[in-house]
Amino acid sequence: MRRLTRTVAAAALATALALVGGCSSDSDKSEDAKAGNGAALEKVTYLTSFGNFGRDSYAWVAKEKGFFKEAGFDVDIKPGQGTGSVIQTITGGQADFGPIDLTGGILQLGNGQAKDFVAVAAIQQRTMAAIVSVEGKKIATPKDLEGKKLADTPTSVVRNLFPTYARLAGIDGSKVTWVNGEAQGLIGMLGSGAVDGIGQFVVGQPTVEAVAKKKPVVLPYSNVMQDLYGNVLITSSKIAKEKPEMVKRFTGALLKGLEYALAHPDEAGDLLKKNVPAANPAASSAELQLMAAYVRSSNSGTAIGTLDSGRVAKSIALLQGAGALKQNLTPDQIIDFNLAPKA
């Protein structure tokens, strides 16, 4: 961990604030772009999960290494703004694919806040959601969050899932104060001492240490909710129904980019920097190194992208048992298992 931290020590607050912004490469956008067989490339709009952090750099890898083009796609990559926004943009027809937190998607679907989308592949086999603090805040266990002030965006999956996490971790949620913050400003709020902790993914800890100048204290949700997936790739129900083979081709190319990025994190960081000048390659590489353990797990074996109906059912049951869902759901309502990679 300290080795990873040293690689990003130079990533100051400007990096944390700037990574959300991004720019798109124009290299593959020409109207007459052609695949290797001479056929015209199919234009696709892809959203990242949030901003252009290292954890999402695999999409740029798939584009720069030619994986999308080989599969017949001309992909426009745009920065997403979190689970709710990504779902809304895709179901509204402004984008075709993007990753969301599966638990957040279940909460949105099960509470009538979203519909008409399906997941077609896993990006992370375990949730990366966490509460992150720093040394000196007297937070070492979940119970220590009582009496503390935490910050996150109102629609964050970390915040929306907190009542369930609190119940399972033995926290009195009524004793925890939440305040609103902009996603790109959360680490700065923690570093300035304005709050005691923030909603964050575990891969954000190198940047937290670089900005806050203190060692992070991480409370991963996966410690008490082990069956929850992390990000999954989604598309609209319409695209999944009308273009199943296209979905499979796109998914395969994206997952090829994911596998390459995890095997070559430094190169992936450089490719992100090439397309997003504000990105910090060292921080991106560190994020990917931390994320690797979440992409493959003992549940998935060596396969990337697989989704297990039994695990999804357990996740739904956990949320229902915690009173977090207003409607009953089945795994088939949120996952298209015919399109998902097979274990």
Side-chain angles (χ1 to χ4, degrees), residues 11-22:
L13 179 58
T15 300
L17 298 178
L19 280 172
V20 174

Side-chain angles (χ1 to χ4, degrees), residues 102-179:
L102 180 59
T103 305
I106 292 172
L107 291 171
Q108 292 252 326
L109 186 64
N111 291 318
Q113 298 168 322
K115 60 180 182 178
D116 299 330
F117 70 94
V118 291
V120 295
I123 303 299
Q124 294 116 21
Q125 292 288 326
R126 291 184 294 139
T127 180
M128 298 198 303
I131 301 296
V132 177
S133 184
V134 290
E135 286 185 340
K137 294 292 186 179
K138 298 182 178 180
I139 296 175
T141 69
K143 190 71 173 174
D144 297 332
L145 294 175
E146 294 179 2
K148 300 298 193 298
K149 182 188 293 185
L150 307 179
D152 205 347
T153 60
T155 59
S156 163
V157 67
V158 177
R159 185 167 177 176
N160 289 328
L161 192 54
F162 183 78
T164 303
Y165 171 73
R167 182 175 301 185
L168 295 173
I171 304 166
D172 184 346
S174 67
K175 296 181 180 179
V176 179
T177 301
W178 282 93
V179 298

Side-chain angles (χ1 to χ4, degrees), residues 286-340:
E287 285 204 1
L288 287 169
Q289 292 176 59
L290 287 171
M291 191 174 84
Y294 289 80
V295 173
R296 286 190 174 97
S297 70
S298 58
N299 298 46
S300 67
T302 59
I304 283 183
T306 60
L307 288 159
D308 179 77
S309 179
R311 281 189 61 200
V312 177
K314 288 180 181 179
S315 298
I316 293 172
L318 183 151
L319 296 172
Q320 288 175 329
L325 295 178
K326 296 178 182 178
Q327 305 171 19
N328 292 326
L329 292 178
T330 64
D332 290 328
Q333 288 177 270
I334 195 166
I335 310 289
D336 191 326
F337 291 100
N338 292 323
L339 299 180

Side-chain angles (χ1 to χ4, degrees), residues 60-288:
W60 292 107
V61 169
K63 184 169 184 172
E64 287 289 334
K65 301 301 289 187
F67 303 151
F68 284 144
K69 188 174 183 180
E70 290 170 4
F73 298 106
D74 172 16
V75 180
D76 183 16
I77 302 172
K78 296 182 177 180
Q81 296 296 326
T83 292
S85 176
V86 170
I87 293 173
Q88 184 178 21
T89 306
I90 288 175
T91 57
Q94 289 83 44
D96 304 293
F97 296 93
I100 67 166
D101 184 275
L102 180 59
T103 305
I106 292 172
L107 291 171
Q108 292 252 326
L109 186 64
N111 291 318
Q113 298 168 322
K115 60 180 182 178
D116 299 330
F117 70 94
V118 291
V120 295
I123 303 299
Q124 294 116 21
Q125 292 288 326
R126 291 184 294 139
T127 180
M128 298 198 303
I131 301 296
V132 177
S133 184
V134 290
E135 286 185 340
K137 294 292 186 179
K138 298 182 178 180
I139 296 175
T141 69
K143 190 71 173 174
D144 297 332
L145 294 175
E146 294 179 2
K148 300 298 193 298
K149 182 188 293 185
L150 307 179
D152 205 347
T153 60
T155 59
S156 163
V157 67
V158 177
R159 185 167 177 176
N160 289 328
L161 192 54
F162 183 78
T164 303
Y165 171 73
R167 182 175 301 185
L168 295 173
I171 304 166
D172 184 346
S174 67
K175 296 181 180 179
V176 179
T177 301
W178 282 93
V179 298
N180 295 335
E182 294 294 328
Q184 63 267 33
L186 292 174
I187 297 177
M189 293 176 71
L190 178 62
S192 70
V195 295
D196 302 301
I198 57 175
Q200 185 64 242
F201 279 174
V202 294
V203 296
Q205 51 190 302
T207 304
V208 169
E209 183 160 1
V211 173
K213 309 301 181 185
K214 295 180 180 179
K215 185 177 180 180
V217 176
V218 183
L219 301 177
Y221 281 14
S222 61
N223 285 354
V224 297
M225 296 181 285
Q226 298 179 1
D227 284 312
L228 300 186
Y229 282 90
N231 281 352
V232 294
L233 178 67
I234 69 164
T235 189
S236 68
S237 300
K238 177 180 172 64
I239 290 177
K241 180 179 180 180
E242 296 180 356
K243 300 180 177 181
E245 293 307 314
M246 182 272 270
V247 173
K248 289 180 180 180
R249 283 188 292 113
F250 182 87
T251 300
L254 183 70
L255 293 181
K256 190 174 181 180
L258 174 61
E259 190 159 21
Y260 190 95
L262 295 178
H264 307 88
D266 290 342
E267 182 181 353
D270 290 338
L271 291 177
L272 179 63
K273 174 71 173 179
K274 175 182 176 182
N275 289 277
V276 184
N280 180 283
S284 299
S285 176
E287 285 204 1
L288 287 169

